[in-house]
Amino acid sequence: MAESSPTSPKRRGTRRKSLTPPPSSSSSSGPLTEELQCSICLDVFIDPVTTPCGHNFCKTCLNKCWDNSQTCNCPYCKETFKQRPDLKINTTLREVVDHYKKKTPEKKTEVLCDICEERKLKAMKSCLVCQSSYCETHLEPHLRVTGLKKHKLMEPVSNLEDYICQKHERPLELFCRDDQTCVCSMCALTDHKNHNTVPLEEESEEKKTHLKKTQKDVQQMIQERIKKIQDIKHSAGVRKRNTEEEKAARVEFFTDLIRSIERCQTELLEMMEEQQKAAEKQEEELIAELEQEITELKMRNAELERLSQTEDHLHLLQISSSLCSSTNTRNWPEISMKTHMSLETLRRALTQLQLTLDEKLTQTELKRMQQYAVDVTLDPDTVHPYLILSDDGKQVRDSDVRQKLPDNPERFDLCGSVLGKEGFSSGRFYFEVQVKGNTEWDLGVVRESINRKGNITLSPSDGYWTVAMRNGYEYAAYAGPPVSLSLRVKPQRVGVFVDYEEGLVSFYDVESSSHIYSFTGQSFTDKLYPYFSPSLNNKGQNSAPLIITPVNVNK
């Protein structure tokens, strides 16, 4: 149906008014409505307030009533108030009204026939030319008489004046696209001459088509938001499960850690006890040796004293040389007493303890992450033409020979790389790759929307979270500017762990159970895919393949 121009006033007095008013909402809804009805506007309360005399009104209705009066009195009982009351919304009554409105939806006003005199019947159509509504009986001439057949009929409405031109008193049958307003045929010849005017039905159909498209867009937006809510709820559920698993794992870890500390403490104390016993034994042996030498020296001293007083010159000369010669004893001032563990020994013991604890920590963390192992298979649609995949999709190596492969959008065309088939958009996942025998490689994860054509930059800002080995011994994490890594041992198998919600990507040396590097505080929105690059074959020097290996979680 057409709408009247918003700038045109409603036409008055052009339609015969029904002698019988339509039933009000109060009469059709029972006595409860009367209790919830404002006596000023005769409608259901909106923000009800209560006067000091106990009567209820809409807040806006009562304020308007008092604004237009010299005195403040109750519109219902006429009680006058010396001062204008401070009106507060009756929250209890408002809740009752809201509950009533929910339970009793507003009924559509019924349009009645303008011709019926005694009992008004329901109108079937409204005529824009006659500006009246007709029941089935009184509509019959419009369907039979030739002149009346030309009249414009429409679904019955109570506001027929809105469909009539206020200036020319003709039906609004056209739409001016220039001024975006409804016009009559006379308007099209005068005020809107040379404007782009079309029948209302034509414009209405175009609007409906546009509305349907808009509705489709809105429905799509609704579905997108519903999916987003589902994703958020899913992520929240995953995070909750992960938190519970993390708590359990942490309890187990710290329990094991405490046991390890107690065991290391016991070993250290036992070592210190053994050192103390060894020192005590040394002390006893040295004291015994010293006492023996003291006894011998006392005997020698007595003999020297006796000879110094003898008159037997011959005997004195025969033995004096042996008595005056140096004694065969230790150089005692140079002998230090080790009565306790040396500082260096203690430092070594503490260092070993720290290494043991670090190893225990990494082993526990790695075992926990291995619980999230997934089955990764290489995707042939992404593999660079120089790379060769094994039949089972678990190995990749460079061949130095370009394969004939279609240049599809997913394929790397310049950098020797390949992705895993499986993508992950939530939760945690872990996989392991054998790098034994390689002199160069790149490993990690990438987001789905990465650039795969031409030169690529390995950095988180470009969607790559990777570590690499170059020249057989140089290791780095591509974290923006590359971060050089110092590893104690050369990894033979690398584990990759991802926690999507936490924004974490970690790398481990599986054989030594040592941590290599972690990207933390990342924000993931796309799917993440495992990433592999065996680098150039280098004339056979780097011919060993990268191998996706099964994860042994029970070792």
Side-chain angles (χ1 to χ4, degrees):
M1 297 180 185
E3 294 184 356
S4 63
S5 169
T7 59
S8 303
K10 290 185 178 180
R11 178 181 176 89
R12 298 182 182 277
T14 58
R15 172 188 169 197
R16 287 205 305 266
K17 302 298 180 183
S18 170
L19 297 178
T20 305
S24 67
S25 59
S26 60
S27 62
S28 62
S29 302
L32 178 59
T33 309
E34 296 178 3
E35 299 296 329
L36 303 178
Q37 193 177 62
C38 173
S39 59
I40 299 175
C41 66
L42 301 180
D43 206 345
V44 177
F45 289 122
I46 298 176
D47 291 336
V49 294
T50 304
T51 60
C53 57
H55 295 113
N56 300 303
F57 305 92
C58 297
K59 184 177 182 179
T60 302
C61 294
L62 187 56
N63 278 329
K64 284 184 179 179
C65 182
W66 285 351
D67 290 342
N68 297 327
S69 176
Q70 297 292 333
T71 59
C72 293
N73 55 22
C74 174
Y76 188 82
C77 68
K78 306 304 180 183
E79 180 178 341
T80 302
F81 311 115
K82 293 182 180 180
Q83 292 183 345
R84 184 165 177 165
D86 183 17
L87 300 175
K88 299 290 180 65
I89 294 176
N90 188 331
T91 55
T92 302
L93 181 56
R94 184 172 63 181
E95 290 175 1
V96 173
V97 171
D98 291 342
H99 179 74
Y100 171 77
K101 286 180 178 179
K102 291 178 182 178
K103 294 293 184 181
T104 312
E106 190 174 335
K107 295 183 179 179
K108 186 177 179 181
T109 304
E110 193 175 73
V111 180
L112 302 178
C113 178
D114 290 325
I115 308 301
C116 293
E117 294 183 353
E118 295 183 359
R119 181 173 175 270
K120 294 286 186 180
L121 299 178
K122 178 181 177 182
M124 300 299 294
K125 293 287 184 181
S126 293
C127 177
L128 291 176
V129 178
C130 301
Q131 300 182 34
S132 296
S133 299
Y134 301 101
C135 64
E136 185 176 6
T137 301
H138 293 121
L139 180 64
E140 188 272 336
H142 279 76
L143 305 176
R144 176 174 49 84
V145 179
T146 304
L148 295 178
K149 283 184 178 181
K150 298 179 180 180
H151 286 193
K152 185 74 172 180
L153 298 176
M154 60 180 295
E155 293 301 313
V157 293
S158 58
N159 56 333
L160 266 171
E161 59 269 23
D162 292 344
Y163 297 83
I164 305 299
C165 176
Q166 306 299 308
K167 184 175 182 180
H168 303 106
E169 298 187 4
R170 294 196 177 193
L172 296 170
E173 299 176 307
L174 303 172
F175 185 81
C176 177
R177 288 177 171 172
D178 294 341
D179 295 333
Q180 290 292 298
T181 187
C182 298
V183 297
C184 69
S185 56
M186 287 299 296
C187 291
L189 297 175
T190 55
D191 297 342
H192 297 268
K193 187 177 180 180
N194 299 325
H195 286 192
N196 182 14
T197 56
V198 296
L200 285 181
E201 291 79 1
E202 180 181 337
E203 182 66 17
S204 177
E205 288 302 318
E206 286 197 17
K207 285 288 192 295
K208 286 180 182 179
T209 301
H210 178 70
L211 290 174
K212 287 179 181 179
K213 181 180 181 303
T214 303
Q215 182 185 20
K216 185 177 180 181
D217 293 341
V218 171
Q219 289 174 345
Q220 182 177 352
M221 292 170 66
I222 292 172
Q223 292 302 316
E224 289 173 352
R225 282 149 180 78
I226 291 175
K227 185 179 183 303
K228 188 63 177 178
I229 291 174
Q230 292 172 343
D231 291 343
I232 292 172
K233 289 182 176 180
H234 175 70
S235 295
V238 170
R239 187 184 298 275
K240 184 177 180 181
R241 289 194 301 272
N242 289 346
T243 300
E244 294 301 321
E245 293 174 359
E246 187 78 16
K247 285 164 62 177
R250 291 296 176 187
V251 170
E252 181 182 358
F253 164 69
F254 281 111
T255 301
D256 290 344
L257 184 60
I258 291 170
R259 291 195 187 112
S260 297
I261 292 173
E262 290 174 346
R263 184 168 59 253
C264 291
Q265 181 184 18
T266 301
E267 293 174 357
L268 182 59
L269 292 175
E270 289 176 353
M271 186 187 303
M272 294 176 70
E273 185 69 25
E274 290 175 0
Q275 290 278 348
Q276 180 64 23
K277 289 179 179 180
E280 290 176 355
K281 183 179 180 181
Q282 182 190 24
E283 290 170 358
E284 292 174 357
E285 291 175 350
L286 291 175
I287 289 172
E289 187 175 348
L290 283 167
E291 288 176 343
Q292 177 65 31
E293 289 190 6
I294 290 171
T295 301
E296 293 176 356
L297 288 171
K298 283 181 178 181
M299 293 172 61
R300 184 177 181 185
N301 183 61
E303 183 64 19
L304 288 171
E305 184 177 356
R306 185 183 66 78
L307 287 176
S308 65
Q309 299 175 4
T310 183
E311 297 294 333
D312 188 351
H313 302 293
L314 179 63
H315 181 65
L316 172 62
L317 293 173
Q318 289 178 341
I319 67 172
S320 61
S321 297
S322 61
L323 289 173
C324 292
S325 62
S326 60
T327 57
N328 187 20
T329 60
R330 292 198 190 195
N331 186 6
W332 291 104
E334 293 182 1
I335 296 177
S336 60
M337 305 298 295
K338 297 182 179 180
T339 57
H340 56 80
M341 181 184 292
S342 69
L343 182 60
E344 183 59 32
T345 302
L346 180 59
R347 185 181 292 112
R348 287 198 300 269
L350 291 175
T351 301
Q352 185 60 43
L353 173 60
Q354 182 64 50
L355 291 174
T356 302
L357 293 179
D358 290 344
E359 182 179 351
K360 183 65 177 178
L361 171 63
T362 307
Q363 285 179 348
T364 304
E365 287 292 302
L366 186 56
K367 285 182 179 179
R368 181 177 65 84
M369 292 174 182
Q370 287 174 331
Q371 301 298 321
Y372 299 97
V374 294
D375 183 19
V376 176
T377 304
L378 300 172
D379 185 359
D381 290 335
T382 66
V383 67
H384 185 276
Y386 274 92
L387 301 184
I388 295 179
L389 304 183
S390 61
D391 293 339
D392 61 359
K394 298 296 183 179
Q395 301 184 27
V396 57
R397 63 180 177 87
D398 185 84
S399 66
D400 279 341
V401 178
R402 186 177 183 88
Q403 315 296 314
K404 291 183 179 180
L405 299 174
D407 186 20
N408 50 289
E410 298 84 8
R411 191 178 309 285
F412 291 92
D413 67 347
L414 186 60
C415 297
S417 307
V418 62
L419 301 184
K421 282 185 178 180
E422 301 78 10
F424 303 88
S425 57
S426 65
R428 300 169 175 174
F429 63 94
Y430 174 87
F431 60 95
E432 293 180 355
V433 183
Q434 179 179 305
V435 296
K436 183 178 180 180
N438 293 84
T439 58
E440 291 191 8
W441 48 260
D442 301 300
L443 289 176
V445 294
V446 300
R447 65 175 177 233
E448 186 175 23
S449 59
I450 55 167
N451 175 35
R452 310 182 190 196
K453 305 300 181 182
N455 286 316
I456 59 178
T457 302
L458 299 180
S459 70
S461 60
D462 292 290
Y464 291 80
W465 292 267
T466 59
V467 295
M469 192 256 279
R470 296 287 183 268
N471 301 320
Y473 62 91
E474 297 174 354
Y475 297 90
Y478 289 113
V483 177
S484 180
L485 303 176
S486 178
L487 306 183
R488 287 187 299 152
V489 294
K490 184 176 182 178
Q492 303 298 305
R493 186 163 41 153
V494 176
V496 183
F497 173 76
V498 176
D499 188 326
Y500 194 96
E501 281 70 28
E502 291 298 325
L504 172 68
V505 182
S506 292
F507 298 85
Y508 290 86
D509 179 350
V510 179
E511 300 298 332
S512 64
S513 297
S514 58
H515 176 250
I516 296 176
Y517 187 80
S518 287
F519 295 88
T520 60
Q522 306 299 305
S523 180
F524 302 132
T525 53
D526 291 6
K527 275 188 176 182
L528 296 181
Y529 288 82
Y531 172 80
F532 310 83
S533 176
S535 197
L536 299 177
N537 183 282
N538 198 14
K539 298 181 180 179
Q541 295 182 27
N542 188 40
S543 60
L546 297 179
I547 304 174
I548 302 171
T549 59
V551 177
N552 185 4
V553 297
N554 298 316
K555 71 172 186 175

